[in-house]
Amino acid sequence: NQLMNAYDRPKRRKVEHMLAATGSVMRLVAEKGLPGRQDLTSSEREWLDKDLGNAVSEWEKSDFKEAAALIRTAQQLLSVDHAFLNELLTLLLPLVRNIRETFSRQGWLSFDGLLARARTLLFEHPSVRERIKRDYRAVLVDEFQDTDPVQYEIILAVSERQGSRADVWHDMLLEPGKLFIVGDPKQSIYAFRRADIEAFDRVMEKITAGGGMAQTLTTNFRSDAAVLEPVNEIFDRLFERRPLVQPANVRLEAHPQRCAASIEPGVRLSVTTPDGEEETFDAAGATRGESEVLARWLTDEVLSRPAMKPGHVALLFRKLTQADAYLDALRRHDLPYVIEGEKHFYRRQEVLDLVNLMRVLEHPHDEVALTGLLRSPLGGLTDRELYELKQAGHFNYLRAARLEGWLHARAAAVRRLYEHLAWLHRMIPVLPLTEAIELMFDRLPILDLAAASLHGEQAVANLMKVKQMAASLADRPHMTLSGFVELMIARLEEQPDESESPLAEESLEAVHVLTIHKAKGLEFPIVVLPGLHQGSGRERGVSHVSYDWSSGTYGLSLDRHWSLGSLMVHHKLRLREEAERRRVLYVGMTRAKDLLLLSGGSTTRSVGETVFDLLRNIGTGEIGTASTEALKVGGSAIPHRVIRAPERKRPSRRMDGADSTALIDHEKVAELWKIRTARWAEIRQTPHHVTPTTLGQSAASVIRETTQVRQDAEIGRLAGVVAHRLLERWDFSQDPSGLYTQVASALQAVLGPDDQSHAGTVAESVNDLLATFSRSEAYARLRSSRILGREVPFIMPWGDRQVMEGVIDIIYQFDGELWIADYKTDAVLADEAVLHAERYRVQSQVYKAAVKQSLRSEPRFHCLFLRCAAAVEL
């Protein structure tokens, strides 16, 4: 009845049909019990498989997803066959036990195996569990929403009360105040790694039921308020609270002192439509059109701004398999990009070219590898030139001399390459693997060509990673170049997870392309979520073996044989997957600091639910219609722009037949190279890390020394270290006479064995210093001030290429103003202090810049010369 009342009259006929069909299946189940398929009549099987199956397919195209899922469950109930699965287990278990024992004997253990054994150790060995509970007084777990149930049980066991020992997690009593967890269930997106949102909720319930507190953090230090407001409105509606499945939304607030955005902040919606009025897009066509629009938008509207770099932009995908069309558009528009993580290392062109080179050197008659090599930047031949080379019978680099009779513009270039290949082919067989690859890099301009490619530095880093991989495998017995080539070819076919060189993660010279899962924890000024017209896809099939932690239910399935447990677990997983898709969207949207672009194409249909579908259901305004200026969601209006798909930009090509030498200005290249060399020399001589002391040395050197040194330099240095140590811990509100009683302990902590002979002299020097300082106006001032920090470390960018590090002696507040003081133990007279303080002017500027950057307040600075009790403001 609730389902019927939810829909208007035209839809009720469909609903009635669906409910009637479901009732028929349920009656059949009730009459037959829970039979296997062999117990059904042929007519019943035909009705179940054909008529009902067709009906379900039709209903799934409508918006009655829950009813369609109910039909599928009813169908699956008819396939429950415990007898078959029990026989299967009887056959398989001895094999599984044998494999497990063999692995254990040989020391083969996966990470999951380590977790399982750790849990077993805690639960089956009470003495070990008690000792670990006693050893660890507190347990802090970060990113708690990403842990899996086995890890939950380990955490709970370690956090259990002393003397208590429960056999199952439900019965564990937690030690009050011991377990501290940090996690955001709205960002639980790792179900494929067995992260369990239900387990998260149940552990939270256990903690709070035991007297624990749950505190909600709502300040967002990353995003602009113009981004957060629409995100809050969207997920107030998409995050419908469902216990153990989906938490409610918690609205985020922007940090009040956030730096101003470098681009107009906010959330925008872009929809690409076909160019013609009567045209329609399928999913692939929409993706191609949208990718072209995005590439032009980045080129013309974003990266044309002086302050914006390609590295400020991130394209985030649910799966990187969706990224190919967008990468093609970036390449055609000469936009550098880097793909971070997953399976793309072995698909990078420079890696493929290097594998072809190694393959050709090992197998000279491999014409497929030779074709790839000749088409690469190393060969530089066009398809037409390759065809002509093949037709002339010169597809063999071991016969390079024959090219003398080939009258072709590229004959000389091909012959030079062939001669290099033939030389390497002769030399490499007698060399170890690492030296063989080193020789290739020395003999051929492989790295130079990679550096000159679109991806420049990243391409070079990837080639160096191949070299490092070879070096790491070189100690394997009989690992030759041939073996390494076969390994690389196998990896090219299997496409294992392998990220590119991490160089790109810190670069601002390339657009970041990565999955939302990889982006979790990261932030970018501009985030683009492309392909929002792409559906979630068909529902995944049931796993052969499944397990539900909270209920302890196992599920088994094979082909059309199911256990009841597998149906129950599958039903729960289906609900969780739908909720997790929304959480993945949330994580993607909250990576944006300044600008979030939601982008997609206008399609006639898609497989599964799309993000555009979600937005249509919660917003006002037709997505993809030019008359819609903004999509209104709650109190937010998201600007909406419809763009007709432009003609695709063609990739730039080399001008065939042109005299390349005429295009090169040799004098200009020489001048640029001279400038580059000078700049490189300057960079090499510039230290990466600097301190206020080293920065101020040059300034201090020009100030004339006015005072003779009145003490031994080493005694003065040690006295200064001891004085700083004392004042770092001293409470200025106490009687200053207490300082003298701590000199001996400070000396013991500071002086090494070689310094003990100076202990008496250093103690006398420190006492004299303290006697003067403790009676001074400067000390009285500190006594009446509010101390904000002592020995405060800082690190910040300095100039274009340097990092500044330092430690501030003391920061305090006096008469409403912020002050920085730096203790000086220099042996100067009071009337010389002002001139002497000029040595430290650069240091004062650095300290003030660091405090202003951190506290957003303009501080004042003075040097406190302790020996003469003079305070000099700079």
Side-chain angles (χ1 to χ4, degrees), residues 421-438:
L421 294 178
W423 185 87
L424 286 168
H425 174 68
R426 291 193 301 272
M427 298 298 297
I428 277 175
V430 298
L431 296 176
L433 173 60
T434 308
E435 292 181 26
I437 295 180
E438 185 73 44

Side-chain angles (χ1 to χ4, degrees), residues 809-831:
D809 286 346
I810 189 167
I811 304 175
Y812 65 93
Q813 199 169 37
F814 181 73
D815 283 348
E817 290 189 295
L818 190 64
W819 282 86
I820 304 166
D822 196 72
Y823 305 130
K824 302 299 181 186
T825 57
D826 307 33
V828 297
L829 300 176
D831 56 356

Side-chain angles (χ1 to χ4, degrees), residues 141-147 152 155 181-183 199-200 203-204:
V141 187
D142 196 13
E143 301 291 352
F144 190 67
Q145 77 281 347
D146 294 336
T147 49
Y152 288 139
I155 292 164
I181 64 174
V182 181
F200 177 94
V203 173
M204 284 291 297

Side-chain angles (χ1 to χ4, degrees), residues 514-568:
L514 63 167
T515 64
I516 293 175
H517 289 88
K518 289 284 184 181
K520 190 169 179 290
L522 302 179
E523 58 186 43
F524 304 92
I526 300 174
V527 166
V528 181
L529 297 185
L532 300 189
H533 59 276
Q534 297 171 354
S536 57
R538 300 189 184 279
E539 188 176 312
R540 290 187 295 182
V542 180
S543 302
H544 295 308
V545 181
S546 50
Y547 177 68
D548 180 59
W549 180 70
S550 58
S551 64
T553 301
Y554 281 96
L556 296 173
S557 67
L558 183 65
D559 192 26
R560 300 185 67 88
H561 304 277
W562 309 64
S563 71
L564 274 176
S566 66
L567 296 185
M568 190 206 83

Side-chain angles (χ1 to χ4, degrees), residues 224-411:
D224 193 277
V227 173
L228 290 180
E229 186 57 31
V231 170
N232 284 332
E233 295 290 350
I234 288 171
F235 288 97
D236 277 347
R237 291 153 180 79
L238 291 185
F239 282 166
E240 181 182 349
R241 166 71 175 158
R242 300 175 75 176
L244 310 179
V245 175
Q246 176 61 56
N249 187 42
V250 176
R251 293 179 70 89
L252 299 175
E253 302 169 358
H255 190 265
Q257 295 181 337
R258 185 183 182 278
C259 294
S262 54
I263 192 171
E264 183 182 352
V267 180
R268 303 177 193 172
L269 183 58
S270 172
V271 184
T272 303
T273 60
D275 186 38
E277 293 287 347
E278 303 300 323
E279 293 183 48
T280 58
F281 271 152
D282 59 10
T287 299
R288 287 192 296 271
E290 181 212 357
S291 64
E292 183 69 21
V293 167
L294 283 179
R296 294 189 180 213
W297 175 73
L298 288 174
T299 303
D300 300 338
E301 299 184 36
V302 177
L303 299 179
S304 58
R305 300 167 182 257
M308 299 308 300
K309 301 287 186 182
H312 291 144
V313 181
L315 271 62
L316 306 185
F317 295 87
R318 283 185 304 171
K319 300 175 183 177
L320 277 183
T321 52
Q322 302 169 332
D324 287 345
Y326 303 91
L327 300 182
D328 176 66
L330 294 178
R331 283 192 295 268
R332 286 185 285 101
H333 284 264
D334 295 328
L335 291 172
Y337 64 86
V338 60
I339 306 174
E340 299 186 22
E342 302 218 357
K343 301 182 178 181
H344 286 261
F345 173 73
Y346 293 102
R347 290 169 58 182
R348 288 299 297 257
Q349 191 58 52
E350 62 272 8
V351 176
L352 292 171
D353 292 343
L354 182 57
V355 171
N356 280 332
L357 171 61
M358 292 188 291
R359 179 74 176 171
V360 163
L361 294 178
E362 276 292 301
H363 303 281
H365 303 290
D366 187 335
E367 293 190 350
V368 174
L370 183 60
T371 301
L373 183 64
L374 291 172
R375 291 186 80 251
S376 76
L378 197 60
L381 298 187
T382 64
D383 289 345
R384 164 61 62 180
E385 290 165 347
L386 273 172
Y387 173 76
E388 292 166 351
L389 182 69
K390 175 68 174 175
Q391 289 297 102
H394 299 310
F395 231 58
N396 186 339
Y397 69 80
L398 296 179
R399 297 176 179 176
R402 293 187 177 183
L403 285 165
E404 288 186 357
W406 189 42
L407 301 178
H408 194 281
R410 303 305 305 278

Side-chain angles (χ1 to χ4, degrees), residues 41-84:
T41 65
S42 59
S43 57
E44 289 168 340
R45 279 198 295 270
E46 183 180 359
W47 171 79
L48 181 67
D49 295 337
K50 184 178 178 181
D51 299 338
L52 187 58
N54 290 339
V56 170
S57 297
E58 288 301 316
W59 296 328
E60 284 186 308
K61 295 176 184 176
S62 69
D63 52 359
F64 306 114
K65 293 181 180 178
E66 288 300 320
L70 184 63
I71 294 288
R72 287 198 302 276
T73 302
Q75 285 181 281
Q76 292 162 354
L77 281 170
L78 295 173
S79 300
V80 168
D81 191 349
H82 284 184
F84 173 84

Side-chain angles (χ1 to χ4, degrees), residues 350 377-378 438 440-457 459-461 463-464 673 676:
E350 62 272 8
L378 197 60
E438 185 73 44
M440 290 181 217
F441 284 5
D442 288 343
R443 186 77 178 185
L444 298 170
I446 301 169
L447 297 178
D448 307 72
L449 291 168
S453 69
L454 176 63
H455 300 292
E457 235 179 325
V460 173
L463 291 175
M464 296 306 293
W673 191 259
R676 174 198 175 280

